[in-house]
């Protein structure tokens, strides 16, 4: 499926492969990483997540069970269902912009984490911009790069952006990988090779954050590759099972919830 504007193709989606975005063309360039080549074709009916690159829709969790959610391994036909919830997604293309509107139906009180798991085609030296001092939750794989000992059994630790790891820079291959969440941060920009991509998520009344995944040749252990994830999300944690009282999105009494993801790009 191709969504175009007068200036040409904006986004390409593969409905047979979990509704994955396979291409995003804004400001005259491709923004989505094509993946490490671990799989070709649809991942439908696979039980273990395989990274295909692009953008996967993670719902109702990112980490945990099921890993990367329950949508990536089933085909989409405009809407998709999982665990009693029904999700609809609509794209609107503009001049170097893309708007994605989501509509979820589920039982009142239903809790979930959602993320647009976007893996970007960037080179070493790309810069991720977020408001300085934003709370950033770091996850255990980042422990060896921190100037303090990891607290026993802590699922995450909080630091101020850009953290002691300087997550604002996508660096050279150094054998590290780090996952983090910019808490209550709806807008993040990425500068790479003369262009800037900005992602903004809006969902009033729900926790809106941005997840990051900076893999500089540190994951997976047996065959590491490089990848950069900038992932607008509803929630404040990766794993729904570890969510505190305010860490997950919650369905309102109406049983319906909408949110909007806006992406824009420009030369810099």
């Amino acid at each position: 499926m191709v969504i175009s504007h007068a200036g040409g193709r904006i986004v390409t989606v593969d409905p047979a492969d979990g509704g994955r975005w396979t291409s995003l063309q804004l400001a005259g360039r491709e923004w989505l990483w094509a993946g490490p080549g671990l799989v070709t074709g649809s991942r439908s009916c696979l039980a273990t997540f395989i990274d295909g690159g692009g953008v996967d829709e993670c719902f109702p969790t990112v980490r945990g069970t099921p890993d990367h959610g329950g949508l990536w391994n089933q085909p989409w036909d405009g809407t998709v269902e999982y665990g009693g919830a029904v999700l609809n997604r609509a794209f609107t293309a503009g001049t170097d912009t893309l708007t994605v509107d989501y509509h979820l139906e589920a039982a009142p009180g239903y809790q979930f984490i959602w993320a647009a798991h976007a893996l970007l085609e960037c080179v070493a030296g790309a810069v991720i911009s977020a408001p300085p001092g934003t709370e950033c939750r770091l996850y255990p794989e980042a422990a060896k790069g921190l100037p303090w000992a990891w607290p026993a059994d802590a699922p995450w630790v909080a630091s101020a952006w850009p953290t002691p790891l300087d997550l604002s820079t996508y660096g050279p291959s150094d054998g590290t990988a780090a996952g983090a969440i910019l808490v209550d941060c709806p807008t993040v920009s990425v500068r790479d090779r003369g262009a800037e991509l900005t992602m903004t998520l809006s969902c009033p009344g729900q926790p809106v954050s941005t997840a990051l995944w900076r893999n500089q040749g540190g994951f997976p252990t047996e065959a590491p590759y490089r990848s950069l994830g900038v992932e607008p999300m509803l929630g404040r944690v990766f794993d729904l099972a570890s969510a505190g009282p305010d860490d997950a999105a919650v369905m309102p009494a109406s049983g319906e919830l909408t949110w909007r993801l806006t992406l824009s790009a420009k030369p810099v």
Side-chain angles (χ1 to χ4, degrees):
M1 181 175 68
V2 176
I3 293 90
S4 301
H5 187 254
R9 182 187 69 184
I10 298 295
V11 65
T12 304
V13 175
D14 187 349
D17 189 34
R20 182 169 65 94
W21 313 15
T22 59
S23 175
L24 177 65
Q25 298 273 342
L26 294 172
R29 60 158 287 178
E30 175 60 58
W31 285 99
L32 297 185
W33 179 62
L38 300 176
V39 63
T40 58
S42 172
R43 297 164 296 171
S44 180
C45 299
L46 293 181
T48 301
F49 179 78
I50 296 179
D51 193 353
V55 179
D56 279 307
E57 305 276 356
C58 294
F59 173 92
T61 190
V62 180
R63 297 185 182 183
T65 304
D67 184 25
H68 286 73
L71 305 185
W72 60 269
N73 59 354
Q74 60 172 305
W76 288 49
D77 183 18
T79 61
V80 64
E81 300 183 27
Y82 182 84
V86 179
L87 180 64
N88 176 272
R89 175 185 68 186
F91 294 92
T92 304
T95 303
D96 287 329
T97 66
L98 179 70
T99 300
V100 194
D101 288 299
Y102 295 85
H103 179 265
L104 181 68
E105 296 182 23
Y110 180 92
Q111 294 187 319
F112 66 95
I113 305 292
W114 166 88
H117 185 268
L119 297 173
L120 303 182
E121 180 58 55
C122 294
V123 299
V127 175
I128 300 97
S129 296
T134 297
E135 179 185 337
C136 188
R137 293 180 175 178
L138 299 168
Y139 280 74
E141 63 271 13
K144 65 181 180 181
L146 295 173
W148 61 75
W150 192 268
D153 300 324
W156 48 264
V157 296
S159 184
W161 177 259
T163 82
L165 300 174
D166 190 14
L167 290 176
S168 65
T169 301
Y170 186 43
S173 297
D174 60 4
T176 66
I181 294 176
L182 286 157
V183 176
D184 299 335
C185 181
T187 299
V188 169
S189 296
V190 180
R191 287 194 177 198
D192 175 69
R193 290 171 288 175
E196 182 177 70
L197 175 70
T198 299
M199 302 179 177
T200 299
L201 181 62
S202 176
C203 187
Q206 300 292 339
V208 174
S209 303
T210 303
L212 302 175
W213 171 246
R214 190 183 71 176
N215 178 15
Q216 297 174 169
F219 176 87
T221 303
E222 62 277 10
Y225 51 84
R226 291 176 59 84
S227 54
L228 176 64
V230 181
E231 309 166 19
M233 72 184 303
L234 295 179
R236 298 187 176 105
V237 292
F238 281 121
D239 189 349
L240 179 62
S242 69
D246 300 317
D247 288 338
V250 181
M251 291 296 294
S254 64
E256 297 185 56
L257 184 67
T258 60
W259 61 92
R260 171 171 287 183
L261 174 60
T262 303
L263 303 97
S264 62
K266 63 182 180 181
V268 291

